[in-house]
Amino acid sequence: MSRTRAVQRMAWLSIATSIATLTLKFGAYFLTGSVSLLSDAMEAFVNLAAGMVALGALTYAARPADDDHAFGHDKAEYFASGVEGALILVAAGSIAWAAVQRLLHPAPIQSLGWGIAVSVVAAGMNFATARILLRAARAHDSITLEADARHLLTDVWTTAGIVAGLLVVMWKPEWSILDPLMAIAVAVQIVFTGVDLLPRSADALLDAA
């Protein structure tokens, strides 16, 4: 199988996983009303957008050199990773806004057991897909697949932290303030992910030594 077809298949896998986890995570949010689970679901939206951007970039990068692009179109991959970094920052802002609103206007959390179980299933799907994407990224030297995989892994650890916090809330309901505080922590964490991707993409696009 050619490199192009192999990396495109991985991009499609990422998109399919993102759609599935998006559905699961919003289901967990609607079950519970937890703003930290909402933050997790918002990040799944970014996963889906990033997967679609990655597929478009990989398809464009595979085009051969022409009169206007004598060195080919490979740098489209770096553009895609930059877009993904920017999307992550937008998601962080949305999450922080929702968390602050919950701090100002507290609301009860319900059916935490079911919400946590659904989130764990979604995290497992993301982890399996991320491992596959990382192997493909190394095999085909694709920064786009690497960026997508690392974003999915960030999502996994984010979900793990949220689940741990919600288990505490389920045991100690009076500690429900942990819910919006965890959402804010998620926002801060993914800001670092986005900030890391942007300079790497810019350096590659500018041919930094």
Side-chain angles (χ1 to χ4, degrees), residues 14-26 44 48 122 125-126:
S14 175
I15 290 171
T17 301
S18 295
I19 291 172
T21 57
L22 179 68
T23 303
L24 289 171
K25 288 182 177 184
F26 268 102
L48 176 58
M125 294 173 63
N126 275 337

Side-chain angles (χ1 to χ4, degrees), residues 58-121:
L58 290 167
T59 302
Y60 186 78
R63 295 171 60 181
D66 55 33
D67 292 340
D68 295 324
H69 303 87
F71 298 102
H73 302 78
D74 292 344
K75 287 189 177 180
E77 291 200 41
Y78 295 100
F79 175 77
S81 66
V83 169
E84 182 167 350
L87 287 172
I88 289 172
L89 295 180
V90 170
S94 300
I95 292 167
W97 173 260
V100 169
Q101 294 304 305
R102 179 56 57 88
L103 280 172
L104 296 174
H105 309 287
I109 304 175
Q110 301 173 340
S111 305
L112 268 182
W114 282 108
I116 289 171
V118 171
S119 293
V120 169
V121 171

Side-chain angles (χ1 to χ4, degrees), residues 17 25-26 40 48 52 103 106 115 144 150 157 187 193 203 208:
T17 301
K25 288 182 177 184
F26 268 102
D40 210 16
L48 176 58
M52 296 174 70
L103 280 172
T144 302
R150 294 198 180 282
W157 303 127
T193 303
D203 285 347

Side-chain angles (χ1 to χ4, degrees), residues 84-200:
E84 182 167 350
L87 287 172
I88 289 172
L89 295 180
V90 170
S94 300
I95 292 167
W97 173 260
V100 169
Q101 294 304 305
R102 179 56 57 88
L103 280 172
L104 296 174
H105 309 287
I109 304 175
Q110 301 173 340
S111 305
L112 268 182
W114 282 108
I116 289 171
V118 171
S119 293
V120 169
V121 171
M125 294 173 63
N126 275 337
F127 182 78
T129 300
R131 298 292 296 176
I132 293 170
L133 291 181
L134 278 176
R135 286 198 295 270
R138 287 192 291 268
H140 301 291
D141 191 26
S142 172
I143 189 176
T144 302
L145 289 182
E146 180 188 346
D148 210 6
R150 294 198 180 282
H151 188 196
L152 288 176
L153 283 175
T154 300
D155 190 274
V156 171
W157 303 127
T158 297
T159 302
I162 288 172
V163 166
L166 289 178
L167 286 171
V168 173
V169 173
M170 188 164 62
W171 182 50
K172 293 279 191 180
E174 64 270 22
W175 291 7
S176 60
I177 193 174
L178 281 176
D179 185 42
L181 291 179
M182 286 187 298
I184 291 172
V186 169
V188 171
Q189 178 187 10
I190 66 175
V191 162
F192 283 109
T193 303
V195 168
D196 178 62
L197 282 174
L198 288 173
R200 289 180 58 201

